[in-house]
Amino acid sequence: MFCYQCEETMNGEGCTKNGMCGKKGEVADLQDDLIYVLKSIAFYNQKARKAGISENSTDDFMLDALFSTITNTDFRATGIQERIDRGFKLQSEIKQKLLDNNLLDENDLPEIATLTLENLKDRNTGILATEDEDIRSLRELLIFGIKGIAAYAHHAMMLGNTNKKVNSFIEEGLVATTDDSLADKDLISLVLKCGEKGFDVMADLDRVNTTAFGNPEPTQVNIGTRDKPGILISGHDLKDLKQLLDQTEGTGVDVYTHGEMLPANSYPEFKKYEHLVGNYGGSWWHQKQEFESFNGPILLTSNCIIPPKESYIARLYTTGSVGYDGATHIVVEDGKKDFSAIIEQAKKCEPPVQLEEGSIMGGFAYNSVLSNANKIVDAVKAGRIKKFIVMAGCDGRHKDRQYYTDFAEALPKDTIILTAGCAKYRYNKLNLGDIDGIPRVLDAGQCNDSFSLIVIAQGLMARLGFTDVNEAPISYNIAWYEQKAVLVLLTLLRLEIQNITLGPKLPAFVSPNILKVLVEKFNITPNTTIEEDMERLLK
């Protein structure tokens, strides 16, 4: 195996035996095979799409398969192999349709189109198969961005949204990574186009979420516990939460959010459920301690699972693209998911052990912030708000992530933090106060709600009279961990945001030459010390 798609990759270079995430080398190799199969499907489906004979089932499969390869998603060799087998079936079906319609010349096919289940084992599907370091860097940057697109498109798909242009770009990007005629500049163009589609897919997801569940509202979210048995739900899929709440209503079982599910507490639709108690614990990497102390069953709806302890794996359930051997996996049947087994187990469990008490604020998406824009603008004009710092992205388990807590605490009291994603857990429980009643931490929601931060920045800066957001009093100190954060970064670059500080380590998959291009074009800077970064970001 060779994998360097996440921030904690071995020695900042690449995992070669097993993943630092806990994924076995066998699974990582199967993921490489699956991505290779998806490239072959993409070749055929591009042609089918142009001829108007592609089907939604192919798009759905592509999104799920790509999502399953994101860090901390499906750890099962069987889960990845089943997708490979399904992929070859789809590839064969699409190919036959093209042949039946005289749209394919079997004597003139690129190598990726000649892939079969039988010859897959003879192909080098790994990342290092691309020998040129810079081409490899750009290809993987594109693929990782596409994985982020697929994750958000998958959540939107669960709520009935399909964006054919986004799905078409996924195919275009995958096929481009097999084309040896493409030069650096061609791939850079596609990488930036990936950021453009990232904005589109996040806008799609925001639209379907707010249509289904209402606009998030500023909300004090309880972080204590009650004396009833509970179910803990983690991940990102709001439709899963809705189904769980419907099925637990009147059962005497409470529901708590965890990790990236925290923002659900701010949606009006979910506030209707009295048994949605609040949030339990922190970000994904605290699972082993927090899932242990919760006592009840845990439902993982998407990525961010880590290898569980034996003491609670019998209480662990997965659904959607996420999976782990030993956990019970719940599938969709007739358009619904049956959570009765989780509920029955919960009834027999002790209530969760209380970890903390009090509340934290959330729900500062663009609708709520911009509806109070005049108050914020007045504070800026009066000099009471001097700077907005975007501190969005991912949390992680390494000690160097303490930097983000210390940075937030050290910021002057005339600064506002705009955040989204699990990075917020580094500072959302700090007592940073407010400015004229405006909390100094404005949490827009999940990582996909980075879209909200973009809309907020554009809206506030327009009201302040700035035509160029890079001239406005807003800076970016972004933390990354996995591929959805890569997509958010590409989206910011496509919007021509300059002077982004990125950390805690730069991506291993960005080669020195490609990093030089990013620095020259966008002035991306790795984070250093709090003092140096603060001096630069507060200018």
Side-chain angles (χ1 to χ4, degrees):
M1 72 167 285
F2 181 83
C3 181
Y4 58 4
Q5 70 177 2
C6 83
E7 183 269 336
E8 65 178 12
T9 193
M10 178 71 75
N11 298 323
E13 297 176 356
C15 297
T16 56
K17 293 183 179 179
N18 295 304
M20 292 296 292
C21 63
K23 195 165 291 179
K24 299 299 184 185
E26 174 196 7
V27 178
D29 288 339
L30 285 170
Q31 285 187 173
D32 288 341
D33 287 348
L34 177 56
I35 295 296
Y36 199 74
V37 172
L38 296 180
K39 294 177 183 181
S40 187
I41 295 171
F43 169 82
Y44 286 111
N45 209 48
Q46 271 191 309
K47 294 182 178 296
R49 190 180 297 278
K50 289 177 182 177
I53 58 174
S54 64
E55 297 181 359
N56 288 340
S57 60
T58 305
D59 293 336
D60 296 353
F61 170 77
M62 294 284 279
L63 297 181
D64 169 74
L66 284 162
F67 196 178
S68 73
T69 67
I70 282 181
T71 305
N72 292 346
T73 303
D74 199 339
F75 286 74
R76 303 169 301 165
T78 54
I80 304 301
Q81 185 62 57
E82 285 172 3
R83 292 180 176 94
I84 290 172
D85 295 340
R86 171 66 175 153
F88 275 115
K89 184 174 184 296
L90 281 172
Q91 180 220 46
S92 178
E93 291 172 355
I94 300 166
K95 181 178 179 180
Q96 191 59 52
K97 286 181 181 179
L98 292 169
L99 290 171
D100 292 343
N101 286 274
N102 297 315
L103 295 170
L104 188 69
D105 182 358
E106 284 195 279
N107 297 314
D108 185 26
L109 294 175
E111 183 180 10
I112 194 66
T114 64
L115 182 68
T116 65
L117 182 60
E118 290 71 29
N119 67 29
L120 175 61
K121 64 179 180 298
D122 298 323
R123 303 287 182 98
N124 185 352
T125 65
I127 293 167
L128 299 180
T130 302
E131 295 182 2
D132 184 284
E133 181 182 32
D134 296 332
I135 296 295
R136 178 170 68 241
S137 177
L138 288 168
R139 285 179 173 179
E140 295 310 312
L141 182 55
L142 179 56
I143 287 173
F144 299 155
I146 286 172
K147 288 186 180 187
I149 288 176
Y152 296 145
H154 188 275
H155 290 312
M157 180 181 71
M158 292 297 98
L159 289 169
N161 181 83
T162 299
N163 189 324
K164 292 295 184 182
K165 290 182 179 179
V166 167
N167 294 335
S168 178
F169 172 75
I170 288 174
E171 294 166 4
E172 177 188 2
L174 288 173
V175 172
T177 65
T178 70
D179 187 347
D180 292 334
S181 70
L182 295 182
D184 290 13
K185 60 181 177 53
D186 303 310
L187 289 169
I188 289 172
S189 178
L190 280 168
V191 164
L192 292 177
K193 187 176 180 181
C194 184
E196 176 185 322
K197 298 304 177 185
F199 183 87
D200 293 343
V201 77
M202 285 189 282
D204 284 345
L205 183 52
D206 174 79
R207 176 177 50 78
V208 295
N209 278 342
T210 54
T211 298
F213 311 117
N215 286 302
E217 304 164 339
T219 302
Q220 289 280 358
V221 181
N222 174 50
I223 56 175
T225 60
R226 301 201 303 196
D227 61 356
K228 295 180 179 181
I231 295 172
L232 189 61
I233 181 168
S234 193
H236 307 73
D237 198 294
L238 298 182
K239 184 177 180 180
D240 285 340
L241 174 59
K242 169 67 173 170
Q243 292 185 76
L244 179 64
L245 289 170
D246 284 339
Q247 293 177 42
T248 48
E249 197 161 27
T251 64
V253 174
D254 286 336
V255 175
Y256 297 78
T257 60
H258 179 271
E260 285 265 48
M261 198 62 79
L262 162 65
N265 292 277
S266 299
Y267 284 89
E269 177 64 23
F270 296 129
K271 289 183 178 184
K272 297 176 182 177
Y273 296 91
E274 293 183 359
H275 63 298
L276 177 60
V277 174
N279 195 70
Y280 188 86
S283 62
W284 61 272
W285 62 279
H286 293 289
Q287 281 177 34
K288 289 188 177 181
Q289 295 75 35
E290 292 170 354
F291 288 4
E292 178 86 63
S293 63
F294 186 75
N295 289 331
I298 306 105
L299 174 63
L300 265 296
T301 66
S302 65
N303 65 309
C304 294
I305 189 174
I306 63 174
K309 295 169 68 173
E310 286 296 322
S311 56
Y312 65 77
I313 195 169
R315 297 189 274 116
L316 187 61
Y317 295 78
T318 60
T319 190
S321 299
V322 66
Y324 197 91
D325 287 328
T328 302
H329 192 74
I330 297 174
V331 299
V332 177
E333 295 181 358
D334 298 324
K336 296 182 180 180
K337 295 180 180 179
D338 181 0
F339 295 131
S340 58
I342 305 179
I343 297 167
E344 290 308 308
Q345 185 178 30
K347 291 176 180 178
K348 302 172 185 176
C349 295
E350 293 293 318
V353 174
Q354 181 155 300
L355 300 175
E356 51 195 342
E357 58 184 2
S359 63
I360 49 178
M361 281 294 292
F364 292 99
Y366 65 89
N367 185 71
S368 64
V369 173
L370 295 182
S371 65
N372 290 286
N374 289 341
K375 186 175 183 180
I376 298 173
V377 168
D378 288 345
V380 174
K381 289 181 176 179
R384 291 190 291 276
I385 296 176
K386 295 286 183 62
K387 200 81 172 184
F388 297 90
I389 306 290
V390 176
M391 294 180 66
C394 307
D395 194 12
R397 55 191 140 201
H398 288 176
K399 290 183 179 179
D400 52 6
R401 298 271 177 169
Q402 178 65 29
Y403 161 92
Y404 296 101
T405 303
D406 296 341
F407 186 91
E409 288 184 311
L411 282 171
K413 296 186 184 300
D414 55 10
T415 56
I416 296 284
I417 295 172
L418 302 176
T419 191
C422 60
K424 63 173 152 276
Y425 281 108
R426 286 289 171 173
Y427 39 79
N428 68 343
K429 297 175 185 178
L430 299 176
N431 184 19
L432 298 181
D434 64 83
I435 301 172
D436 294 352
I438 304 163
R440 289 192 54 227
V441 177
L442 297 180
D443 175 16
Q446 295 182 347
C447 51
N448 54 280
D449 292 311
S450 296
F451 165 79
S452 218
L453 299 184
I454 294 168
V455 176
I456 289 170
Q458 291 174 336
L460 290 177
M461 298 314 124
R463 286 166 171 79
L464 288 166
F466 292 95
T467 56
D468 182 351
V469 73
N470 289 306
E471 296 177 356
I474 182 167
S475 297
Y476 297 80
N477 193 358
I478 305 296
W480 83 285
Y481 178 78
E482 43 87 290
Q483 298 79 69
K484 289 179 293 181
V486 172
L487 176 67
V488 172
L489 176 63
L490 296 184
T491 299
L492 293 175
L493 298 184
R494 181 63 184 84
L495 293 170
E496 300 186 348
I497 302 296
Q498 301 280 331
N499 307 316
I500 296 171
T501 297
L502 184 67
K505 294 190 289 288
L506 290 180
F509 52 80
V510 176
S511 67
N513 286 334
I514 300 307
L515 177 60
K516 183 179 179 183
V517 171
L518 295 177
V519 170
E520 289 176 352
K521 186 173 178 61
F522 301 104
N523 196 30
I524 288 182
T525 307
N527 63 14
T528 54
T529 66
I530 290 172
E531 294 74 20
E532 290 177 9
D533 293 345
M534 195 149 319
E535 181 178 357
R536 182 177 63 256
L537 292 168
L538 294 180
K539 283 183 180 178

